[in-house]
Amino acid sequence: MKKLLAAFAAVAALSAHANETLTVAATAVPHAEILEFVKPALAKEGVDLNIKVFTDYIQPNVQVAEKRLDANFFQHQPYLDEFNKGKGTNLVAVTGVHLEPLGAYSSKWKSLAEIPGGANVVIPNDATNGGRALLLLQKAGLIKLKDSSNILSTPKDIVENTKDLKIRELEAATLPRVLTQVDLALINTNYALEAKLDPSKDALIIEGNDSPYVNILVARPDNKDSPAMQKLAAALHSPELKAFILEKYKGAVLPAF
């Protein structure tokens, strides 16, 4: 009996020290790369990080809300707010990590001044990134919006378009693939990096450090304060990660901590 009790105690001790697993959805660049960087440090903290790479902006939120995943890392707060409102979810931000400046790219023209009248322009088709793209076009002097501060502006809110730009909305992930077919594409940095574009060199105009679109780690109210999630949040604010971001992305991705 004593041996049996000792065996049970040993199993219990092993269980108590077993690593907890966190399964986190991320888009490939830079989010999954950032998570891969902090993974070894988390393992030392007793957290096994399981990274699931997605190519869209919908399923990562759906699967966290349905408790198929623990968290995700791909979006900014305005996008999350709009998603929660539209889908009836209550996902929450755990912490802000980095900024990916949105940029305007062209394979045909070397400057915005060269963009011809009637040019074909594509922007993301989700509400927040679409509005964000229009605000950048307005900042460049190419259009004027009804409300110059509305982050949810749509092409219908354009009140001045002196170059008669033909603006179309497409899924964000597809924008790099159509770059050669249009005059100008407004592309999120994660997709620009995946397409081997260098935002600091290739973008004709890019958001500045004053952008409100910090990318965040997102979870649910029931798990956002769990010890494992808080360890991940701390790892995503480490000096080591800041140095990694600055070195690897050369200004295309900026630490927000």
Side-chain angles (χ1 to χ4, degrees), residues 70-91:
D70 297 307
N72 65 53
F73 179 38
F74 74 95
Q75 65 194 313
H76 47 64
Q77 189 68 52
Y79 181 88
L80 177 62
D81 291 342
E82 191 66 15
F83 186 93
N84 280 334
K85 181 180 177 182
K87 302 293 185 181
T89 50
N90 64 337
L91 301 175

Side-chain angles (χ1 to χ4, degrees), residues 5-51:
L5 290 173
F8 278 129
V11 170
L14 285 172
S15 298
H17 291 91
N19 281 9
E20 182 175 351
T21 298
L22 273 183
T23 303
V24 182
T27 44
V29 183
H31 306 84
E33 293 176 342
I34 288 172
L35 292 175
E36 288 287 357
F37 179 82
V38 302
K39 188 173 182 176
L42 278 173
K44 293 178 181 178
E45 293 284 324
V47 179
D48 286 333
L49 188 60
N50 183 18
I51 304 162

Side-chain angles (χ1 to χ4, degrees), residues 26 45 56 63 77 81 90 92 137 152 163 176 185 195 200 211 219:
E45 293 284 324
D56 74 291
Q63 294 193 30
Q77 189 68 52
D81 291 342
N90 64 337
V92 294
L137 289 175
L152 298 179
K163 285 198 171 187
S200 63
S211 170

